[in-house]
Amino acid sequence: MSLFWRIFSLNAAGLVVATALLLGPVTVSTPVLAGEALVLLAGLVLLLAGNALVLRFGLVPLQRLDRAMATADLLRPGSRPVVAGPAETAGLITTYNTMLDRLEAERAAGAARALSAQESERHRIARELHDEVGQTLTAVLLQLKRVADLAPEDLREEVGQAQEATRAGLDEIRRIARRLRPGVLEELGLASALRSLTGEFTTHGLTVRHHVTGELAALTPEAELVVYRVAQEGLTNTARHAAADRAELRLQPVPGAVELLVRDNGTGLGDAAEGAGLTGMRERALLIGATLTLGTAPGGGTDVRLRVPVAVREPVTEGPR
């Protein structure tokens, strides 16, 4: 029954009872006697209490909908208010759930297009850095070697410093190109790419250990790229913001999924708001239907977990021959 008919029926019943009493033997004296006033007051209290109960229970679903709308987050999909209550409220909740489904689908499609364009741009920049800037610096390095061979003794030290600076710049460009376009992921697979990634982040102030299980379910190329990018962003946040000296990267099978864990012993998340890096990680996880969770590591620090669902293969049984 709709909320309108509930309230109308209750008020109509009260008015009908009052009219029946007036048409019956019940009368109200002038002035009103104490007993009659009590009867009238009791009837008014009952009518108000009935209205309050109808409105109270009728508006509870709207209050749940209000809380759901206030806490809705398209980066954490799946949460929906229960369709319940009067017809108007149930229709409103159903419309809201349908709108949320459409918004999540549109956001996922938009994020997929944006991330695809981002990866294409990363590949283009990496290729230009390697082919254009890298070759130019290599040519400069060769020219500096010839200059060093012909330079007077008092200038060779300065030319040698220029050679070292150019060589360092060339190595840095190659490192940036590798991060922009993980060629090792395409050539050697996810496990080798993650091992190489931990080596890149292992510096004098940070030690990154890795544990990649060899027996993993096969992932799609899109899922492997998401796992690699989440690991890369997690280690980048550790190196830049966590003030940690130890980190750990794990890739292991769990029931029905493959789980990536990036753990450090740093200062933890605290009350800091999520930045663009974490938002990008959540958007990437949504593209492949994965679940990303952030938590506190044992003993402090931060845990970043990415759980990628995998299809369960049915056992193949041979029929009679």
Side-chain angles (χ1 to χ4, degrees):
M1 185 184 296
S2 67
L3 187 61
F4 167 79
W5 283 111
R6 292 184 185 185
I7 298 176
F8 177 79
S9 300
L10 180 62
N11 286 311
L15 292 174
V16 168
V17 170
T19 303
L21 291 175
L22 291 176
L23 295 177
V26 178
T27 59
V28 180
S29 304
T30 305
V32 180
L33 300 177
E36 296 171 345
L38 290 177
V39 171
L40 292 175
L41 182 60
L44 178 61
V45 169
L46 290 176
L47 185 60
L48 293 176
N51 277 277
L53 289 175
V54 170
L55 290 175
R56 178 66 177 175
F57 289 105
L59 295 179
V60 165
L62 286 179
Q63 294 173 351
R64 289 201 298 264
L65 176 62
D66 177 69
R67 289 193 296 269
M69 294 176 70
T71 57
D73 187 354
L74 296 181
L75 292 178
R76 297 175 176 86
S79 178
R80 298 289 185 272
V82 179
V83 179
E88 301 93 341
T89 305
L92 180 62
I93 297 175
T94 301
T95 303
Y96 170 74
N97 289 342
T98 303
M99 179 193 69
L100 207 56
D101 292 337
R102 185 174 66 252
L103 288 176
E104 288 181 356
E106 291 176 355
R107 182 182 179 88
R113 290 192 295 270
L115 292 175
S116 176
Q118 185 184 76
E119 288 296 330
S120 299
E121 188 68 10
R122 283 172 179 258
H123 286 190
R124 184 188 67 81
I125 295 174
R127 186 171 56 251
E128 291 186 358
L129 285 174
H130 182 272
D131 296 342
E132 301 295 334
V133 182
Q135 291 181 5
T136 301
L137 287 179
T138 302
V140 171
L141 197 59
L142 294 175
Q143 291 177 356
L144 286 174
K145 186 180 183 304
R146 288 195 294 268
V147 171
D149 294 337
L150 300 175
E153 188 68 27
D154 56 343
L155 293 179
R156 288 185 180 180
E157 183 178 356
E158 295 183 5
V159 176
Q161 293 176 356
Q163 283 181 293
E164 292 301 322
T166 304
R167 187 175 291 108
L170 183 60
D171 292 340
E172 181 67 16
I173 285 177
R174 289 172 177 170
R175 184 184 63 82
I176 293 173
R178 285 197 304 269
R179 287 195 178 185
L180 287 173
R181 184 176 182 270
V184 66
L185 179 62
E186 301 173 357
E187 298 168 2
L188 301 179
L190 180 60
S192 298
L194 292 178
R195 294 188 186 100
S196 175
L197 186 66
T198 57
E200 292 181 12
F201 279 92
T202 298
T203 61
H204 296 293
L206 178 64
T207 301
V208 183
R209 296 181 302 171
H210 63 80
H211 178 76
V212 181
T213 304
E215 300 177 357
L216 293 172
L219 299 177
T220 63
E222 293 79 10
E224 289 187 349
L225 182 59
V226 168
V227 171
Y228 180 85
R229 291 300 187 196
V230 170
Q232 186 181 49
E233 185 64 34
L235 290 177
T236 300
N237 290 339
T238 297
R240 291 180 179 176
H241 310 297
D245 59 2
R246 294 193 310 276
E248 179 183 5
L249 187 148
R250 285 179 172 269
L251 186 66
Q252 57 193 0
V254 295
V258 173
E259 184 180 77
L260 170 73
L261 170 64
V262 180
R263 172 178 292 171
D264 63 61
N265 65 338
T267 57
L269 294 172
D271 298 329
E274 293 189 1
L278 293 179
T279 301
M281 292 163 65
R282 293 192 184 280
E283 289 180 345
R284 288 182 183 276
L286 288 178
L287 294 181
I288 58 173
T291 303
L292 181 75
T293 56
L294 304 176
T296 302
T302 304
D303 272 0
V304 178
R305 294 180 185 270
L306 178 72
R307 182 164 293 193
V308 183
V310 294
V312 179
R313 296 181 179 180
E314 298 292 336
V316 179
T317 57
E318 296 185 359
R321 297 182 179 179

